[in-house]
Amino acid sequence: MGKQKVGAKKEAKTKEEEDEVFAQVREVQDRLEDLNHQADQCRASIRRCEVESKRSELTAKELEPLPDDSKLYRQVGKMFLLQPKKDMTNYLNATSAMKTVESNQLKQALQKLGEQASSEMNSLKELLGPEKFKAAFGNMAQQGAGGK
């Protein structure tokens, strides 16, 4: 009869430990999902910056053959402002440079998010152990280690 009580206590203790590990795994998984969401937003912002930069470059390139006294209009909200060609090209070049810098900053932020996600994956691996981790996330672990 004494052996049954010890066995019951061990089962209860392991069940509590499993519940605690499950809660920790869920927390890490939630953080990973949040990091993935932030990374997706960052990629979209990078794409928008690159498109805006390219648009400014191409527009400036199209303005080059025009004479210096051409009437050029720049859109500001719902209205258009008359500007000299020199001011317009300066504005387009500045916009292109600013968006390029912003894109580079976002790429650095994306890299940091990737490092954080890698750290979270490692902590998840430590919580589950290598065998359970491989069984649960086999394909994801290979992709993360192989480099995306």
Side-chain angles (χ1 to χ4, degrees):
M1 191 158 173
K3 288 184 179 181
Q4 288 178 345
K5 286 184 181 179
V6 172
K9 285 183 181 179
K10 275 189 176 181
E11 286 180 20
K13 195 173 190 179
T14 57
K15 179 68 174 157
E16 289 175 7
E17 289 173 355
E18 285 180 10
D19 289 344
E20 185 178 327
V21 168
F22 179 75
Q24 290 174 347
V25 167
R26 185 66 191 154
E27 184 179 320
V28 171
Q29 188 176 7
D30 289 343
R31 286 193 303 253
L32 275 170
E33 288 174 4
D34 185 46
L35 287 172
N36 283 335
H37 178 69
Q38 289 176 3
D40 289 343
Q41 288 178 333
C42 196
R43 283 187 200 96
S45 295
I46 289 170
R47 181 73 182 134
R48 281 192 299 273
C49 286
E50 288 174 348
V51 166
E52 187 67 30
S53 175
K54 192 66 172 175
R55 181 182 300 141
S56 294
E57 287 175 20
L58 292 173
T59 304
K61 187 176 178 181
E62 290 293 320
L63 293 180
E64 285 177 11
L66 296 176
D68 289 339
D69 60 346
S70 296
K71 289 185 178 182
L72 301 175
Y73 294 90
R74 177 170 66 104
Q75 183 176 359
V76 180
K78 290 185 178 182
M79 69 179 186
F80 294 87
L81 296 177
L82 178 63
Q83 289 190 326
K85 179 183 172 187
K86 182 181 177 187
D87 290 347
M88 183 67 83
T89 55
N90 287 341
Y91 168 77
L92 290 170
N93 290 334
T95 300
S96 176
M98 186 175 62
K99 291 298 180 178
T100 301
V101 168
E102 187 177 343
S103 175
N104 289 336
Q105 290 173 343
L106 287 167
K107 286 177 184 176
Q108 290 174 352
L110 182 63
Q111 185 178 6
K112 288 181 183 177
L113 286 172
E115 290 170 1
Q116 288 176 347
S118 177
S119 173
E120 292 295 334
M121 286 293 278
N122 287 337
S123 66
L124 188 62
K125 193 177 208 178
E126 289 175 11
L127 281 172
L128 291 177
E131 292 81 25
K132 283 186 181 179
F133 182 80
K134 200 171 207 177
F137 303 102
N139 292 338
M140 287 177 57
Q142 290 173 355
Q143 287 175 353
K148 215 167 146 181

